Structures are given as C-alpha cells and as structure tokens.
Amino acid sequence: MTTIHRRTFLRLGLGAIAAALADPRRAAASQGPVRSCVLLFMHGGASQIDTWDPKPGRETGGGLKAIRTALPGVRVSEHLPRLARRLRDVAVIRSLTSREGNHDRARYLMHTGYPPQGGALHPSLGSLVAASRERGTLPSYVSIAGPGQGAGLLGAAHAPFVVGDPTKPIRNLTPALGVDDARLARRVELWRGLEDRFAARVASPTVTGHRQVVDQALTMMSSPALEAFALEREAAADRERYGASAFGQGCLLARRLVEVGVPFVEVALKGWDTHEDNFPRVARLGAELDAGMSALLDDLHDRGLLESTLVICIGDFGRTPTINAKGGRDHFPKISAAALAGAGIRGGQVIGATDRDGREISERPVTVPDLFRTVATLVGLDPDETRESATGRPVATVDGGALVDELLA
Amino acid sequence: MKVSATGQTGGGAVAAPADDAEFVRRVYLDLVGRIPAATEAARFLDDAAADKRARLVDALLASDEYATYWANVYADLLLGQAQPQGLGRRLRAGTVTWLEEQLGEGRPYDAMIADVLTASGDYSDGGPASYLLVRGRGKQVEAVAGATARIVLGVQIDCAQCHDHPYYDQYKQEDFYAFAAYFGRTQARRLPGGGEPGVRIVERPRGELRMPTSDGGKGEVVRPRFLGREVAPDDGETRREALVRAIRGSDLLAKAAANRSWSMLLGRGLVEPWDDLVGENDPSHPPALERLAADFVASGYDHRALLRSIVLSDAYQRSASGADDRGAAARVFARAAVRPLSARQLFDSMVEATGVADSDRAAYRRRLVDRRDAALREYSFVFADDEMAEAESFSGNVPQALLLLNGDLSNVGVRERAGGTVTAAIDRAEAEGIDAGIAALYLSAYARRPDADELAQARAFIEAQPGDTRAYEDLLYALLLSSEFTTNH
C-alpha cells in the first residue's frame, strides 16, 4: 500500500484500516477491551496548580488564569486550552497523593505502583502489560523520549524498547554491509548452537533473557510494522498538530504504534522540575502537553481506537503551592494531578478536590496503589496475582489499594 | 536479607570451584574491565604453578588498567552512569583523571572520599570537586546529601526527605535534613570563563537549611547532625569537615565500601541491596561483612587489598555452572552469579576479542580512538539508559541486541584484515589445521579452548563453506553475540 493510499484511507476514517496495517501476529491474538495503553509521563514532576487544578486569584496560583472547559463549572489552567475543549473525554484526578518526593524513588513508584524497597525488582506497568499480551513483531513496550522503567522480576524480554528521539530512525536495524539474509541466517544458526550449549551448563535468567532479546531483535528487523516508526509518512499539517517537540512527535509515534497493535507506549515530557522560573517553563511545557495529548486523543478517536486505548497522564509528583524565592515550585508528593481517557474510563468528570490554595486535599484522596489497581484491572491484569521475585518473595501485581470506582465507565 | 558468604547453604549443593578458564576471564573483567587477550589467557591456562591465581591478581592490581577501570567505576558511582556531553563530559574526564592518580598511587579510600566531600576552591578540571557540582545540580542540597549517605555510608536516608523512613523507625524526616545541613553552606558552581570545565566550591560563613513544612513552605532551621548523633563542627572546622570526621568515625564507611565491592564482584551484596545497611553498629550485619570491613580498616583503607581479599575468597572462586535455583543459590553465594557485562566492559572486551586495536592499519586504529567516545556513548545509552541503574537490575534489551547484531564494532571487528583476530585464526588454520584456527577464536572470545563437541560443530560449519574464509568471520560473530561472551560468569 502506498503512502498516499494509506493516508486517504485514514482520512476516510475506515475502521478496517487499523486492522489492515496491524501486525498480523497481534491481529490474530485475542484482545480484551483495552488493546493498548499510552502513558504520558511528566518527567520531573508537573505543577498540578499550573495544569489541571488552577487556583486563580490566590497567591499560590501564580497569576495564571483559569479557563472554561467543556464541562460546566470545571476550569483548568490557561496553558491547556485544547485539552479544556476535550474534557468530556477525560477524567481528571486532582487528589492523587504519595509520599515519595525524590525523583528516582517517585519515578519508580509512578511506574510500578510500589515504593522502592529492599532490592525487590517490581516490574513497571508497561512491562506487566507487555508480558500479558501476545508478542508481535515489534517490542510490546516502547518508551519514547525517556527511559521508561524496567521489567524487574519479569525479565529482559519485557523491558522497554527505548526510542530517544522519535524523529530519528531506529539505529542498527539493518545488517552490516556484505551480510545478506543467507549469511545472517548462517550466523544466527551458529549462535543458537552456542546459546544452547551455554544455557545447558549455566542456567540463569540473564542467559534466558539474552536469547529472548536477540530473538526479538531479529524479529523486529524484518517486521512490516516498522513502518510505524516512519513519522515522515505523515502529512506536515498532521505533524504540526502534535507540536514539534520530542513529546509532541512522540505522541504521534505513539498513535502510529497503537495503530499497529503495540500494547504499551510511554512518552516522556521532560523538564517539569521547575525549582526556578516555574512560570515561563510551565507555559512552554503546558503548550507541549496540550498539543500532543489533544492531537493524540483526536486521532485515536477518529480512528475508532480511543475505545480500545487507555491514555494516562501522570508524573513524578506534584509541586508546591508555595512559590519559592526563585519563582520556582519545589517537590510536592502530597498532591499531584492525573488525567485519564479512553478505554474503560468515564470521561467528563473531576475526581477529588484540593482546598482553595491547593495546600491540602479536601475531597476524595486517591493513592498511587488505588490508581494502579484501577488501571491494572482495566488493562486486564489480575491486581492480586503474585509472582516470585529473585529472592523467592511473592510480589503482587499491585501494592494493595482500592478500585477508584468513579473512574470506570 | 542478610547472609554470610560462608554460612549455611540451606542443604543445597555448593558449585565446584571455578576452573582456571572461568577464573581468568572473570578476574580480568572484574579487576581491569575487559576479557584477557588470547595470549594472556593461554599463558595463565598453561601455567602450572600453584600460586598462579594470587600472582595474576597481584599483577592485574598493579597494572595501569586497574586504575583506569576503577576510576571509571567510581566516576559512574559518584557522578551517575549517564555519559554526558560537552562540559559535563570534560568534568567527568577530569574526575576520572584524578581518580586514576589516586587509585594508581594507592591512596587510602577514606582519604579519597574526604577529598571529594571537602573540596574547596577552584578546580580547573573538576577533579574531586565535580561530585558536589554534578550531584548538587539545581542547587539541591538534598540531592548531594542523599547521594552521599547512599554512596559513602550505604544508607538510604533520601526516602526520609519527604516522610519518615517507611520501614525502619531509625530515620525521621528531620534526620535527613539534619544530614543535609552539613552541605547547607556549600555552593558549587562552574568556574566562570567560557569553555573551561572548572568547578568553584565556596563554603559560605553562614546560612541555614530549613526543613520544608508539609505544604512546601519554609520551615524551621535544622542544625547538622550525623544519623541521629551529635557531631557539630569544632572551632575552625567547616560543616563538611565535621561531616568527614563523623564519616571516618563510623563503621558504615568501611562496610559500605566492602559491601559494594562484594556486590560488584559477586553480583549480590552480603547485605542486599549494598546501599541499605540501615544503621551504624547494626547487630544484624553478617559476620563476613564485619570481617571484610574490619580488614579493610586494618589495611589502612587499601582498595587493592579489599579487592584482592574478595577475588581470592572461596565464594568468588566458585563455578557458574548449575541449575537456575534462584533464591537459595543466590543467597548463599553457592555458585557464581551470571552478570551482564557493563557497557564499558563489553565495549573494551569487543575491542580485545576482535583485535581491532591491534590492526596494523593506522587509519583504523585512529578511527577507533576517535570514535571510542561516541561508540561508548551508544553502548552506554542502550546498556544503561537509567543513570541510577545498578548493573544487577539491568539484564538486556532489544536496542542492545540490535547493537550487537548490526553495530559497527561487531561487524567491522570480525572482518578479515591484517592484525585482526580472524586473520590470525585463518593463519593458524592454514599452518596447523582447522582445529587450531577454531581454538584461536575460542581463546580470543571466551578465554578458553573448545571441547571436542565444540570443535566438531565449528569444523562442520567451516568445512561446509570450502575455501571461503568468511566462515571464520561468521564463527567469531556468533561467539561475540553469545551469552558466554556478553556476560560475566
């Protein structure tokens, strides 16, 4: 299928297109209601007050305006005008709370649902989803513009495939000069013999994992779905809609990966650690989030994919209501905001509230385990299933928590 | 889980001692960061002397490569694993140079740590001062304090930054800020003046750290205190000097270094994870750690002596062979852990195994040196994309596999060319027969000779392509892609 044809088809919005382009191996697999999940990760910790929970007219609001949204009586920061218009599809949580205020610890928590503890290697949500789905020809967990989080006890086969810059081609995808298919096949055959021999002598998850990732890499090299990485196939206007930033283009790539059936895509928006000069930085970051996420929601919706794709926007933690002497906001795990849309989510609502200065949660606190239990349930994982860690300790999918019923459609 | 290296094995079998081939490869990787060259491996394997392991260890520890490799290990530890670019890269280079000098001349470990923590004044190439600048970026006293407690003392107090420690009542949020207060008057900046990678550390005469209130506002002033113990600066002593005095008086300094080194060399700490020693004089620390730490102190914090006693221990010298019985074997060090090579170990081992550095084509060597940084960055990116990731938590991924499959080093490296490993193997095959050629490749990649089955398999492969020497390239390529090459075992 040529590019023009495909684009025409997509414009027509034919539902069959996604299936036609999809990875054949994955299309055959049985799918629950949530086929894919896109995690938009606000790396560094986004200011909840300057995004989803504005405090206009209060000292803690920093002089930002709050704008009307598609929901009567609900306002968001002036930096999110496009998302404001799409709020009927989005559930906003204004009362997410945690206790981890150190970046590394918080990122671990917000990717795995567990605080780091005693060397236990909790798998990230992305790796859990990847491990629960039939593997296609592309990696099942792709992390764009940020490192994502590892598979922990699930093993290397479910680790994220990291794409640093979504606009650049994936490196090392083609065999070296002078290595044709027949020769590569001969080399791989030899390698398999060596691998069998070593694995028979030295049993180890590291050895098993190495074989799995090399096999995955070989499968990926000849995948027809690689086409999804070619953002240049998109019309210029479509690329611009997402924003020129790594995050915006990452959201576009996320859409294309969802179209071919990749089960979990993470896109990082870096730079939210605004200890200084919060306001100009939040203006830029907010605009990137607004463009990327709203274009993603629109395109998924137009392709009939929003009902099978769960979109989650969270970050390290929230930021202090108090504005410091350098015009910055510091780490504030006590309150942060989350936004969810798509498969299984009842959009058009705000869950939880903070007091008028945003210093305390005044209504319906939601813990990170609450959120992870809800998301795990939505994506078809058993929240209470346990897996054995390397030390023999059982680790459940989710660290307790209670279902956030209101979120569910 | 706290376990003794030599304690009960829970009824399970302990692996046989590592044979010479296992030992020589492992100890080169651990002490100098690369596999042995074929000639080095052969010399050791063919040496009949009873004390050859101890002699090899001493020779490796006396080499420049030891200082260079461990300088990079400590730079990763102090500055984070990410390979920075631009100014950060030059700052890191200055730190590596400084560490190389210290390690090379056998400077005591406690003195090196003291230099890092009490750096003051201008450092034109960063040197020991880069740590305070890099860890304190964004002027975050909390970040330097958390890193110092973890790296130097093996205590994770940074989780008490926002709340009391979740599962030990030992450290309260106030204890974290009291520890951070030792850095409360320190300012680390880049030296003014263009592209110079220098660092200026200034200790202000006054200034207080305040513990933030629960809503992030400015709270009470916190006075410096060391893990709940009063250690105030004496007259004329800066806060950081007082901190170093407290550190040198703590059993955690030696224990953290010993436990970390053990963890790096055996894949798992005596206390796990290595940086979770919890508190001073903790009665639950295993006897093996107490002993290792006491010996380290008695040696005058001699880093070489610490590594030497670990690599000559029974636990280190066990075979990796055995079944995957996870928990039990790992807990008691019943067999050697299989550890993925770090980016640096893998890169340097590829260079060694392919002989690209020995190529007699000068242009090739130049290109390798020129591209070394860029190549290493690529290896580091795909092998350690999380700057805080410890080696043990990393177990491979698809970008890494793609790099091994299709990257420049694996493909160009295996090509037949003068000075390269494949050419040498072909020469051997022509002179002494195919088996000798195969053995040469095994020795280069695996630091061991092939057994009869392996020889037969490889011979069949080579004979299936008569007259085509590319079969030797293919064999080396497959060896380099295999787990036996890409792990330390």
Side-chain angles (χ1 to χ4, degrees), chain A residues 187-200 211, chain B residues 442 446 448 454 457 474-484:
Chain A
R187 289 177 164 191
V188 168
E189 196 55 34
L190 257 181
W191 165 74
R192 282 191 205 290
L194 298 173
E195 233 25 51
D196 287 344
R197 188 175 287 278
F198 189 62
R211 178 182 209 126
Chain B
Y442 265 76
Y446 288 172
R448 68 175 176 86
E454 289 169 326
Q457 264 182 10
D474 295 340
L475 179 55
L476 182 58
Y477 175 94
L479 291 167
L480 299 183
L481 182 61
S482 70
S483 295
E484 187 167 351

Side-chain angles (χ1 to χ4, degrees), chain B residues 280-454:
Chain B
E280 294 184 295
N281 305 307
D282 186 322
S284 72
H285 289 157
L289 179 58
E290 301 276 359
R291 210 159 44 236
L292 201 60
D295 289 351
F296 186 39
V297 174
S299 74
Y301 290 94
D302 181 344
H303 186 256
R304 286 191 178 96
L306 175 65
L307 297 187
R308 187 179 196 278
S309 64
I310 294 174
V311 300
L312 292 175
S313 70
D314 288 347
Y316 182 86
Q317 295 186 78
R318 281 181 190 141
S319 175
S321 295
D324 175 17
D325 44 4
R326 288 207 163 198
R331 272 199 296 278
V332 297
F333 304 98
R335 70 174 173 115
V338 179
R339 297 167 280 153
L341 298 188
S342 68
R344 188 175 306 280
Q345 287 173 328
L346 185 66
F347 181 84
D348 287 342
S349 296
M350 291 273 250
V351 169
E352 192 64 62
T354 54
V356 288
D358 305 322
S359 169
D360 46 14
R361 276 165 55 197
Y364 200 91
R365 283 204 304 273
R366 249 197 330 273
R367 181 159 160 255
L368 186 76
V369 173
D370 285 350
R371 297 195 54 195
R372 191 179 190 282
D373 277 1
L376 193 56
R377 263 202 305 285
E378 181 171 14
Y379 271 68
S380 299
F381 175 73
V382 304
F383 281 81
D385 45 23
D386 179 354
E387 66 169 306
M388 297 308 288
E390 300 298 334
E392 65 189 318
S393 67
F394 177 80
S395 51
N397 58 32
V398 174
Q400 168 194 339
L402 287 170
L403 179 60
L404 291 170
L405 280 162
N406 303 321
D408 205 34
L409 189 54
S410 16
N411 283 282
V412 177
V414 302
R415 257 178 231 156
E416 185 182 347
R417 62 175 198 291
T421 298
V422 165
T423 306
I426 294 168
D427 290 348
R428 287 285 295 279
E430 282 168 0
E432 301 164 47
I434 290 180
D435 285 3
I438 295 165
L441 293 182
Y442 265 76
L443 207 52
S444 293
Y446 288 172
R448 68 175 176 86
R449 298 185 171 105
D451 66 22
D453 282 353
E454 289 169 326

Side-chain angles (χ1 to χ4, degrees), chain A residues 99-102 104-105 116-119 121 135 139 147-149 152-153 155-157 159-164 170-179 183-184 186-188 190-191 193-195 197-211 213-214 216-218 220-221 275-276 320-322 325-326 330-334 359-360 388-392, chain B residues 22 138-140 156 158-159 161-167 214-218 268 272-273 276 319-324 326-327 330-331 335 338-340 371 378 381 385-386 388 392-393 395-408 411 414-415 442 446 448 451 453-454 457-458 461 465 468 470-471 473-475 477-479 481-484 486-487 489:
Chain A
R99 306 197 328 151
E100 299 299 342
N102 165 290
D104 294 311
R105 295 182 59 85
Q117 50 186 242
L121 296 172
R135 181 165 288 284
Q149 177 80 31
L153 56 88
F161 181 88
V162 178
V163 177
I170 308 287
R171 291 183 64 91
N172 302 313
L173 266 180
T174 46
L177 221 59
V179 180
R183 192 169 184 206
L184 181 64
R186 277 203 304 278
R187 289 177 164 191
V188 168
L190 257 181
W191 165 74
L194 298 173
E195 233 25 51
R197 188 175 287 278
F198 189 62
R201 180 163 68 84
V202 178
S204 147
T206 305
V207 176
T208 320
H210 179 70
R211 178 182 209 126
V213 295
V214 172
Q216 286 174 21
L218 288 163
M220 185 177 179
M221 282 165 63
H275 292 285
E276 293 174 38
T320 49
T322 303
K326 292 164 193 142
D330 300 316
H331 302 179
F332 195 55
K334 189 162 80 175
R359 295 188 192 278
E360 300 289 342
E388 196 180 330
S389 74
T391 54
Chain B
E22 278 186 288
K139 302 181 185 68
Q140 287 301 294
Q156 299 180 10
D158 40 4
C159 50
Q161 182 176 332
C162 304
H163 54 81
D164 295 345
H165 200 294
Y167 51 108
S214 68
D215 65 357
K218 261 195 178 177
R268 199 175 161 74
E272 186 63 20
D276 201 6
S319 175
S321 295
D324 175 17
R326 288 207 163 198
R331 272 199 296 278
R335 70 174 173 115
V338 179
R339 297 167 280 153
R371 297 195 54 195
E378 181 171 14
F381 175 73
D385 45 23
D386 179 354
M388 297 308 288
E392 65 189 318
S393 67
S395 51
N397 58 32
V398 174
Q400 168 194 339
L402 287 170
L403 179 60
L404 291 170
L405 280 162
N406 303 321
D408 205 34
N411 283 282
V414 302
R415 257 178 231 156
Y442 265 76
Y446 288 172
R448 68 175 176 86
D451 66 22
D453 282 353
E454 289 169 326
Q457 264 182 10
F461 179 81
Q465 302 167 72
D468 187 351
R470 289 187 311 170
E473 298 181 358
D474 295 340
L475 179 55
Y477 175 94
L479 291 167
L481 182 61
S482 70
S483 295
E484 187 167 351
T486 61
T487 63
H489 45 80

